[in-house]
Amino acid sequence: TWTRFFDGLKEEQIWGTKCTHCSRVYVPARTFCPECFTDRTEWVPVKPEGKIVSWTLVKAKYHGQVKPPPYIIALIQLSGTDCGFHHFIGGVETENIKKLRQKLKKGAKVKAVWNPEKKADIYDIAYFAPVK
């Protein structure tokens, strides 16, 4: 499941799994439906756009960070899916928190920005940027 999901990202395609019992779509892809606990899933393409459910501005440095602060991490629900996943928000200034709060309201639309160098991992999506 993970191999197919990450191979899709390398090709700039987000794949989800859809439960054939309850029709929920999950990204990242799952081997089973966590709602009805069935293994009956099918692969479905998912658009690289969605909405912000929640976000936080990370300003502190700690061991194991993938990138230096400041950065924004958000819970994003992609269009047509039934769950959210965490990823970076980019293309916004982090210095003015008031402007940031206006731009990144709950439900704000975002779109994937692809990393030009692909490695078949989650960072093939460099970040999600607000849609104007």
Side-chain angles (χ1 to χ4, degrees):
T1 301
W2 286 111
T3 300
R4 182 165 181 188
F5 177 72
F6 289 129
D7 284 347
L9 295 182
K10 192 173 183 178
E11 301 299 321
E12 297 188 5
Q13 174 62 59
I14 300 173
W15 288 96
T17 46
K18 180 178 181 179
C19 177
T20 56
H21 179 72
C22 70
S23 298
R24 291 179 187 266
V25 176
Y26 297 97
V27 171
R30 312 271 170 50
T31 57
F32 69 95
C33 176
E35 183 68 25
C36 52
F37 302 106
T38 63
D39 290 333
R40 300 177 300 171
T41 58
E42 65 182 76
W43 288 92
V44 293
V46 176
K47 292 182 180 180
E49 54 196 39
K51 62 183 179 181
I52 293 175
V53 176
S54 180
W55 62 273
T56 190
L57 173 61
V58 178
K59 297 196 275 186
K61 189 172 183 177
Y62 58 87
H63 178 72
Q65 282 175 301
V66 183
K67 63 191 308 182
Y71 59 87
I72 299 166
I73 192 86
L75 180 61
I76 300 165
Q77 184 175 359
L78 295 176
S79 298
T81 66
D82 296 289
C83 65
F85 75 106
H86 292 96
H87 212 300
F88 299 112
I89 298 292
V92 295
E93 295 295 326
T94 57
E95 290 80 29
N96 188 327
I97 194 71
K98 286 183 182 182
K99 285 184 181 178
L100 200 53
R101 284 183 181 145
Q102 289 173 349
K103 191 168 211 150
L104 300 180
K105 291 182 185 229
K106 183 178 178 178
K109 294 182 180 185
V110 291
K111 185 173 183 171
V113 175
W114 298 96
N115 194 334
E117 185 179 321
K118 308 287 190 306
K119 297 179 182 178
D121 65 24
I122 197 67
Y123 303 113
D124 286 349
I125 301 173
Y127 57 86
F128 282 80
V131 175
K132 297 177 181 177

